[in-house]
Amino acid sequence: MPVLPVHVLVLGGTTEARRLAEILAGDRSVRVTTSLAGRVAAPRLAPGDVRVGGFGGPEGLAAWMREHDVDVLIDATHPFAATMSRNAAEAAAHTHVPLLALRRPGWAARDGDRWHSAGSLAEAAGLLPALGERVFLTTGRMGLAAFAGADLDPLWFLVRSVDAPEPPCPARTEVLLDRGPFTLDGERDILRRHRIDVLVTKDSGGDATAPKLTAAREAGIPVVVVRRPPVPEGVPVARTPDEAARWVRRRYASG
């Protein structure tokens, strides 16, 4: 009987997820399905099979994995997609399917950086009145309610996101629709043109959005960095798509 390809389900939405799908799609021993949450209107699709939409919690994910004979699960979601990561860990435990988290390394402060660490968007919002009045908010369109409190009404926000945010938003907001990667010259221009005096970002890591940190360092602008949530306990972590692909191949080679 012919040997069926190993079915790898990649929970995607990141550059690393697309790259992993590209690597695995070239292996005839592997069938790749990338799942996207559907929160972006025009997502960049990965090679292989693609599904869009939620699963309905860990039980729904586990049911889908059983129905489609998933052999390996890769959590390559955004480092801040904590709920999906927890769902993946629970579904993997229910189905006894091996799980790997693919996480790009976080950013590290350099000489000259004026970073302020925050454990949440709400904590980040609480730091702003003491740091500046014109805020470049680069945390995405989700969670803007944390910055919509009356105590922040005197502040002005430039909100950058891929798709238009929905209310509640800060009282004084200008929206900049754009998608990375961003250039250093472009980030310098934004800070200068909008007279930004404080930057807020999540510790997403990677190169696509890192130039804003360099531009802020050059301008002496403070940066509020929201710490990423931890990977669920017991889940192994790969830092690059190549490392994740090697892990997948070791799993089915030994199985």
Side-chain angles (χ1 to χ4, degrees), residues 21 32-36 43-52 64:
V32 183
T33 299
T34 299
S35 177
L36 303 175
R44 296 172 179 172
L45 300 183
D49 297 330
V50 176
R51 70 171 301 280
V52 179
W64 194 95

Side-chain angles (χ1 to χ4, degrees), residues 174-191:
E174 179 175 331
V175 176
L176 174 61
L177 298 182
D178 204 355
R179 186 201 300 260
F182 302 108
T183 67
L184 179 55
D185 284 343
E187 301 294 63
R188 287 167 174 158
D189 180 65
I190 287 174
L191 298 185

Side-chain angles (χ1 to χ4, degrees), residues 4-216:
L4 295 177
V6 174
H7 189 188
V8 179
L9 174 60
V10 178
L11 305 178
T14 61
T15 301
E16 290 77 17
R18 289 193 299 274
R19 178 56 187 151
L20 176 60
E22 290 170 357
I23 295 170
L24 295 178
D27 188 336
R28 294 184 179 180
S29 300
V30 179
R31 172 191 167 199
V32 183
T33 299
T34 299
S35 177
L36 303 175
R39 291 179 176 175
V40 177
R44 296 172 179 172
L45 300 183
D49 297 330
V50 176
R51 70 171 301 280
V52 179
F55 290 97
E59 296 82 5
L61 174 56
W64 194 95
M65 291 167 61
R66 292 190 186 99
E67 180 183 353
H68 294 85
D69 297 319
V70 172
D71 300 296
V72 178
L73 179 61
I74 307 293
D75 172 16
T77 56
H78 192 275
F80 283 81
T83 299
M84 191 65 237
S85 294
R86 288 194 299 270
N87 291 349
E90 290 186 35
H94 291 328
T95 57
H96 305 289
V97 168
L99 166 66
L100 176 74
L102 173 54
R103 292 288 185 275
R104 71 186 76 139
W107 291 315
R110 301 182 182 180
D111 290 342
D113 282 327
R114 298 173 59 196
W115 285 14
H116 300 262
S117 180
S120 66
L121 292 177
E123 186 178 338
L127 296 175
L128 292 179
L131 295 176
E133 297 180 349
R134 298 182 65 82
V135 184
F136 187 18
L137 190 57
T138 64
T139 56
R141 67 187 181 94
M142 310 297 289
L144 293 184
F147 301 90
D151 55 332
L152 298 182
D153 283 354
L155 307 187
W156 179 87
F157 289 83
L158 177 64
V159 175
R160 181 165 68 189
S161 63
V162 176
D163 296 315
E166 298 179 358
C169 295
R172 303 173 62 203
T173 295
E174 179 175 331
V175 176
L176 174 61
L177 298 182
D178 204 355
R179 186 201 300 260
F182 302 108
T183 67
L184 179 55
D185 284 343
E187 301 294 63
R188 287 167 174 158
D189 180 65
I190 287 174
L191 298 185
R192 181 175 56 253
R193 181 158 40 93
H194 294 280
R195 296 180 287 114
I196 299 299
D197 53 19
V198 59
L199 166 68
V200 182
T201 183
K202 293 177 177 178
D203 181 16
S204 301
D207 298 328
T209 60
K212 62 189 173 187
L213 301 175
T214 303

Side-chain angles (χ1 to χ4, degrees), residues 198-243:
V198 59
L199 166 68
V200 182
T201 183
K202 293 177 177 178
D203 181 16
S204 301
D207 298 328
T209 60
K212 62 189 173 187
L213 301 175
T214 303
R217 183 188 315 120
E218 292 176 347
I221 292 173
V223 180
V224 178
V225 181
V226 181
R227 299 188 299 273
R228 59 173 62 179
V231 171
E233 186 176 357
V235 177
V237 178
R239 295 164 65 87
T240 67
D242 286 325
E243 184 181 339

